[in-house]
Amino acid sequence: MTAIRLLLVDDDPLVRAGLALMMGGADDIEIVGEAADGAEAEALVDRTRPDVVLMDLRMPSVDGLTATERLRAREKAPQVVVLTTFHADEQVLRALRAGAAGFVLKDTPPAEIVDAVRRVAAGDPVLSPAVTRRLMAHAAGSTADTRRTRARARAGALNDREREVAVAVGKGLSNAEIGTGLFLSVATVKTHVSRILAKLDLNNRVQIALLMYDAELLDEPGENGN
């Protein structure tokens, strides 16, 4: 089995040492580098080609949000897991919108952080629907109407079936659960998800969920059999 290539990014050397010790005990994870800020992280990504970057948000010079936006804009972008001390924070939400696959708190138990890296490497987001809603509620404000209008315009590019799948993704359902609810095979669900990502120019399922939330489509009756 090929090991997951992991890059650690945090300006605190003690935090990096703790993460390295934590991750070093996993046989399926290889730490390919450590960076103290976003600029150093970008350079190391070029040299080490990690599968996953565990990224602190608050750092001097180039912060984690800027680095995440730059990394996820690349053609062959590594997955990014945001490392933060806050449950609900505007920067976390912006990082997710930029394509981060999820976030973990710095006080999360070690086994859960290791599991998060594994899940993201496998293509699964590390973000529950409840956390998504809490983040969105935290960020809600005077721009809500504009955000909803723009999100609904983008969602209009989807056909009826793709929209049903997108809403189900936004509700946190797995491919198997979506297939059961919509009477589709898992392979067909995967195909629809891939088409949704391509049509909407999104990076991952987290961004689908955020867009469906922005468009206020997650609470509409009749979706996915509800």
Side-chain angles (χ1 to χ4, degrees), residues 58 83-90 92 103-106 135:
R58 289 168 173 78
L83 192 63
T84 180
T85 56
F86 299 94
H87 284 274
D89 180 82
E90 176 65 22
V92 173
F103 74 93
V104 293
L105 299 176
K106 289 190 176 183
L135 280 167

Side-chain angles (χ1 to χ4, degrees), residues 162-186:
E162 289 166 347
R163 173 173 155 151
E164 288 179 319
V165 172
V167 167
V169 169
K171 292 180 177 179
L173 300 183
S174 67
N175 288 339
E177 290 169 331
I178 295 171
T180 298
L182 297 178
F183 305 102
L184 301 172
S185 70
V186 171

Side-chain angles (χ1 to χ4, degrees), residues 32-81:
V32 296
E34 298 181 21
D37 64 27
E40 189 176 343
E42 291 181 73
L44 279 174
V45 166
D46 290 333
R47 296 205 306 268
T48 64
R49 302 296 178 185
D51 301 306
V52 179
V53 178
L54 193 55
M55 179 83 73
D56 184 27
L57 282 182
R58 289 168 173 78
M59 297 180 291
S61 184
V62 178
D63 62 26
L65 173 60
T66 301
T68 296
E69 291 172 338
R70 291 175 180 174
L71 291 178
R72 291 302 301 167
R74 296 184 178 203
E75 184 176 350
K76 294 184 179 180
Q79 296 293 338
V80 176
V81 179

Side-chain angles (χ1 to χ4, degrees), residues 120-134:
V120 166
D124 297 325
V126 185
L127 194 66
S128 70
V131 171
T132 301
R133 290 171 185 267
R134 186 163 66 245

